[in-house]
């Protein structure tokens, strides 16, 4: 999967407009990065990749690229 495809997935998970984020965008700068977005990310990773991440791993996410690396 390309970075472009991963970026689109992250935009969908965060309910953002296409092209509104980049890989180096900080999550704290995104209003939509909240507990619901975290739950959506966890559900997506579990459903699509059978991958479970812990709360300590979520706390380590700083940039959009960090989420993309999980996909």
């Amino acid at each position: 999967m390309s970075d472009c495809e991963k970026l689109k997935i992250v935009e969908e998970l965060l309910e953002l407009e296409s092209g509104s984020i980049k890989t180096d965008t900080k999550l704290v700068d995104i209003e939509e990065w909240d507990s619901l977005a975290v739950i959506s990310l966890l559900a997506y990773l579990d459903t699509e990749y059978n991958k479970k991440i812990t709360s300590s791993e979520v706390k380590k996410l700083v940039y959009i690229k960090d989420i993309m690396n999980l996909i």
Side-chain angles (χ1 to χ4, degrees):
M1 179 179 298
S2 73
D3 279 352
C4 184
E5 292 170 318
K6 290 179 182 181
L7 193 58
K8 286 182 182 186
I9 290 169
V10 175
E11 288 173 336
E12 289 176 15
L13 287 171
L14 298 179
E15 298 180 359
L16 298 171
E17 290 186 31
S18 180
S20 63
I21 55 173
K22 297 181 180 179
T23 59
D24 63 347
T25 301
K26 286 188 172 186
L27 294 170
V28 296
D29 293 337
I30 302 171
E31 185 177 325
E32 291 81 2
W33 180 246
D34 57 13
S35 58
L36 185 57
V38 171
I39 292 169
S40 295
L41 174 63
L42 296 175
Y44 174 80
L45 292 172
D46 185 35
T47 302
E48 295 296 320
Y49 300 101
N50 198 28
K51 188 176 195 178
K52 297 186 186 326
I53 62 172
T54 64
S55 59
S56 62
E57 289 173 304
V58 170
K59 290 178 184 178
K60 293 178 184 177
L61 300 174
V62 177
Y63 297 98
I64 292 296
K65 183 69 173 178
D66 297 332
I67 295 175
M68 293 169 58
N69 289 336
L70 293 174
I71 298 175

